[in-house]
Short mmCIF file of all heavy atoms in Angstrom, two decimals:
data_model
loop_
_atom_site.label_atom_id
_atom_site.label_comp_id
_atom_site.label_asym_id
_atom_site.label_seq_id
_atom_site.Cartn_x
_atom_site.Cartn_y
_atom_site.Cartn_z
N ALA A 1 0.83 -1.21 0.00
CA ALA A 1 0.00 0.00 0.00
C ALA A 1 0.87 1.25 0.00
O ALA A 1 0.57 2.24 -0.70
CB ALA A 1 -0.91 -0.01 1.22
N LEU A 2 1.96 1.24 0.78
CA LEU A 2 2.83 2.41 0.84
C LEU A 2 3.56 2.62 -0.48
O LEU A 2 3.76 3.77 -0.92
CB LEU A 2 3.83 2.25 1.98
CG LEU A 2 4.64 3.50 2.35
CD1 LEU A 2 3.71 4.64 2.77
CD2 LEU A 2 5.62 3.19 3.48
N LEU A 3 3.95 1.54 -1.16
CA LEU A 3 4.58 1.67 -2.48
C LEU A 3 3.61 2.28 -3.48
O LEU A 3 3.98 3.15 -4.28
CB LEU A 3 5.07 0.30 -2.96
CG LEU A 3 6.34 -0.24 -2.30
CD1 LEU A 3 6.60 -1.68 -2.76
CD2 LEU A 3 7.54 0.63 -2.63
N LEU A 4 2.36 1.84 -3.45
CA LEU A 4 1.36 2.41 -4.36
C LEU A 4 1.13 3.89 -4.06
O LEU A 4 1.03 4.72 -4.98
CB LEU A 4 0.05 1.63 -4.24
CG LEU A 4 0.09 0.17 -4.73
CD1 LEU A 4 -1.24 -0.53 -4.45
CD2 LEU A 4 0.41 0.13 -6.22
N LEU A 5 1.06 4.23 -2.78
CA LEU A 5 0.87 5.63 -2.41
C LEU A 5 2.07 6.46 -2.82
O LEU A 5 1.92 7.60 -3.33
CB LEU A 5 0.65 5.73 -0.90
CG LEU A 5 0.48 7.15 -0.33
CD1 LEU A 5 -0.74 7.84 -0.96
CD2 LEU A 5 0.35 7.11 1.20
N GLY A 6 3.29 5.91 -2.62
CA GLY A 6 4.49 6.64 -3.01
C GLY A 6 4.57 6.85 -4.51
O GLY A 6 4.93 7.93 -4.97
N ALA A 7 4.22 5.80 -5.26
CA ALA A 7 4.23 5.94 -6.72
C ALA A 7 3.24 7.00 -7.17
O ALA A 7 3.55 7.84 -8.03
CB ALA A 7 3.91 4.60 -7.36
N ALA A 8 2.05 6.99 -6.57
CA ALA A 8 1.03 7.99 -6.94
C ALA A 8 1.50 9.40 -6.60
O ALA A 8 1.33 10.34 -7.40
CB ALA A 8 -0.27 7.67 -6.21
N ALA A 9 2.10 9.58 -5.43
CA ALA A 9 2.56 10.92 -5.04
C ALA A 9 3.71 11.39 -5.90
O ALA A 9 3.75 12.56 -6.33
CB ALA A 9 2.96 10.89 -3.57
N PHE A 10 4.69 10.52 -6.16
CA PHE A 10 5.84 10.92 -6.96
C PHE A 10 5.42 11.24 -8.39
O PHE A 10 5.89 12.21 -9.01
CB PHE A 10 6.90 9.82 -6.96
CG PHE A 10 7.61 9.67 -5.63
CD1 PHE A 10 8.59 8.69 -5.46
CD2 PHE A 10 7.32 10.49 -4.56
CE1 PHE A 10 9.25 8.55 -4.25
CE2 PHE A 10 7.97 10.34 -3.35
CZ PHE A 10 8.94 9.37 -3.19
N VAL A 11 4.52 10.42 -8.96
CA VAL A 11 4.02 10.68 -10.31
C VAL A 11 3.28 12.01 -10.35
O VAL A 11 3.38 12.79 -11.31
CB VAL A 11 3.13 9.52 -10.79
CG1 VAL A 11 2.37 9.90 -12.07
CG2 VAL A 11 3.97 8.28 -11.03
N ALA A 12 2.52 12.28 -9.31
CA ALA A 12 1.78 13.56 -9.26
C ALA A 12 2.75 14.73 -9.26
O ALA A 12 2.49 15.76 -9.92
CB ALA A 12 0.91 13.58 -8.01
N ILE A 13 3.88 14.62 -8.53
CA ILE A 13 4.86 15.71 -8.51
C ILE A 13 5.49 15.89 -9.88
O ILE A 13 5.60 17.02 -10.40
CB ILE A 13 5.92 15.44 -7.44
CG1 ILE A 13 5.28 15.47 -6.04
CG2 ILE A 13 7.05 16.46 -7.52
CD1 ILE A 13 6.20 15.02 -4.94
N ASP A 14 5.95 14.77 -10.50
CA ASP A 14 6.55 14.86 -11.83
C ASP A 14 5.53 15.38 -12.86
O ASP A 14 5.87 16.16 -13.76
CB ASP A 14 7.08 13.49 -12.26
CG ASP A 14 8.37 13.12 -11.52
OD1 ASP A 14 9.25 13.99 -11.40
OD2 ASP A 14 8.48 11.97 -11.04
N HIS A 15 4.28 14.94 -12.73
CA HIS A 15 3.22 15.39 -13.64
C HIS A 15 3.01 16.89 -13.49
O HIS A 15 2.84 17.62 -14.49
CB HIS A 15 1.93 14.62 -13.35
CG HIS A 15 0.78 15.07 -14.16
ND1 HIS A 15 -0.39 15.56 -13.60
CD2 HIS A 15 0.59 15.14 -15.52
CE1 HIS A 15 -1.24 15.89 -14.55
NE2 HIS A 15 -0.66 15.63 -15.74
N CYS A 16 3.00 17.38 -12.28
CA CYS A 16 2.80 18.81 -12.05
C CYS A 16 3.94 19.62 -12.63
O CYS A 16 3.72 20.66 -13.28
CB CYS A 16 2.67 19.06 -10.56
SG CYS A 16 2.45 20.80 -10.12
N LEU A 17 5.20 19.18 -12.40
CA LEU A 17 6.35 19.90 -12.93
C LEU A 17 6.34 19.91 -14.45
O LEU A 17 6.64 20.93 -15.09
CB LEU A 17 7.65 19.27 -12.40
CG LEU A 17 7.91 19.42 -10.90
CD1 LEU A 17 9.15 18.64 -10.50
CD2 LEU A 17 8.07 20.89 -10.52
N ARG A 18 6.00 18.76 -15.03
CA ARG A 18 5.97 18.67 -16.50
C ARG A 18 4.85 19.54 -17.06
O ARG A 18 5.01 20.21 -18.08
CB ARG A 18 5.77 17.22 -16.91
CG ARG A 18 5.74 16.98 -18.40
CD ARG A 18 7.10 17.16 -19.02
NE ARG A 18 7.06 16.83 -20.43
CZ ARG A 18 8.10 16.85 -21.25
NH1 ARG A 18 9.29 17.17 -20.76
NH2 ARG A 18 7.98 16.54 -22.54
N THR A 19 3.70 19.54 -16.39
CA THR A 19 2.58 20.34 -16.85
C THR A 19 2.88 21.82 -16.73
O THR A 19 2.57 22.61 -17.63
CB THR A 19 1.33 19.99 -16.04
OG1 THR A 19 1.05 18.59 -16.18
CG2 THR A 19 0.13 20.80 -16.51
N ALA A 20 3.50 22.20 -15.62
CA ALA A 20 3.73 23.62 -15.38
C ALA A 20 4.90 24.17 -16.16
O ALA A 20 4.86 25.30 -16.65
CB ALA A 20 3.94 23.86 -13.89
N PHE A 21 5.99 23.39 -16.29
CA PHE A 21 7.21 23.95 -16.87
C PHE A 21 7.67 23.23 -18.14
O PHE A 21 8.71 23.60 -18.69
CB PHE A 21 8.34 23.89 -15.84
CG PHE A 21 8.00 24.60 -14.56
CD1 PHE A 21 7.68 23.89 -13.42
CD2 PHE A 21 7.98 25.99 -14.51
CE1 PHE A 21 7.37 24.54 -12.24
CE2 PHE A 21 7.67 26.64 -13.32
CZ PHE A 21 7.35 25.92 -12.19
N GLY A 22 6.96 22.20 -18.53
CA GLY A 22 7.34 21.51 -19.74
C GLY A 22 8.65 20.77 -19.57
O GLY A 22 8.87 20.06 -18.58
N THR A 23 9.53 20.96 -20.57
CA THR A 23 10.82 20.27 -20.51
C THR A 23 11.65 20.70 -19.31
O THR A 23 12.36 19.89 -18.70
CB THR A 23 11.60 20.54 -21.80
OG1 THR A 23 10.82 20.13 -22.93
CG2 THR A 23 12.93 19.81 -21.80
N VAL A 24 11.53 21.96 -18.93
CA VAL A 24 12.26 22.44 -17.75
C VAL A 24 11.78 21.72 -16.50
O VAL A 24 12.54 21.49 -15.55
CB VAL A 24 12.07 23.97 -17.60
CG1 VAL A 24 12.75 24.48 -16.34
CG2 VAL A 24 12.61 24.69 -18.82
N GLY A 25 10.52 21.30 -16.49
CA GLY A 25 10.00 20.55 -15.36
C GLY A 25 10.73 19.23 -15.16
O GLY A 25 10.93 18.78 -14.02
N ASP A 26 11.14 18.62 -16.28
CA ASP A 26 11.92 17.37 -16.15
C ASP A 26 13.28 17.65 -15.49
O ASP A 26 13.78 16.86 -14.69
CB ASP A 26 12.12 16.75 -17.53
CG ASP A 26 10.82 16.23 -18.12
OD1 ASP A 26 9.93 15.87 -17.32
OD2 ASP A 26 10.71 16.17 -19.35
N VAL A 27 13.86 18.79 -15.87
CA VAL A 27 15.14 19.15 -15.24
C VAL A 27 14.94 19.40 -13.75
O VAL A 27 15.75 18.96 -12.91
CB VAL A 27 15.73 20.39 -15.94
CG1 VAL A 27 17.02 20.83 -15.23
CG2 VAL A 27 16.00 20.12 -17.40
N LEU A 28 13.85 20.11 -13.41
CA LEU A 28 13.57 20.35 -11.99
C LEU A 28 13.33 19.03 -11.25
O LEU A 28 13.74 18.88 -10.09
CB LEU A 28 12.35 21.26 -11.85
CG LEU A 28 12.53 22.70 -12.35
CD1 LEU A 28 11.21 23.46 -12.23
CD2 LEU A 28 13.62 23.40 -11.57
N SER A 29 12.65 18.09 -11.92
CA SER A 29 12.44 16.78 -11.29
C SER A 29 13.76 16.07 -11.04
O SER A 29 13.96 15.42 -10.01
CB SER A 29 11.54 15.92 -12.19
OG SER A 29 11.37 14.64 -11.62
#
């Protein structure tokens, strides 16, 4: 359960950075 929660949270952070900053978001990640 914790692995699933961690994957969901980490993906949400990467998704937010990519959505907000595009390619620069990947660098920030």
Side-chain angles (χ1 to χ4, degrees):
L2 191 60
L3 285 173
L4 294 175
L5 178 60
F10 289 179
V11 168
I13 295 172
D14 286 316
H15 176 239
C16 179
L17 292 174
R18 181 70 176 182
T19 301
F21 304 105
T23 303
V24 177
D26 292 333
V27 176
L28 293 176
S29 178

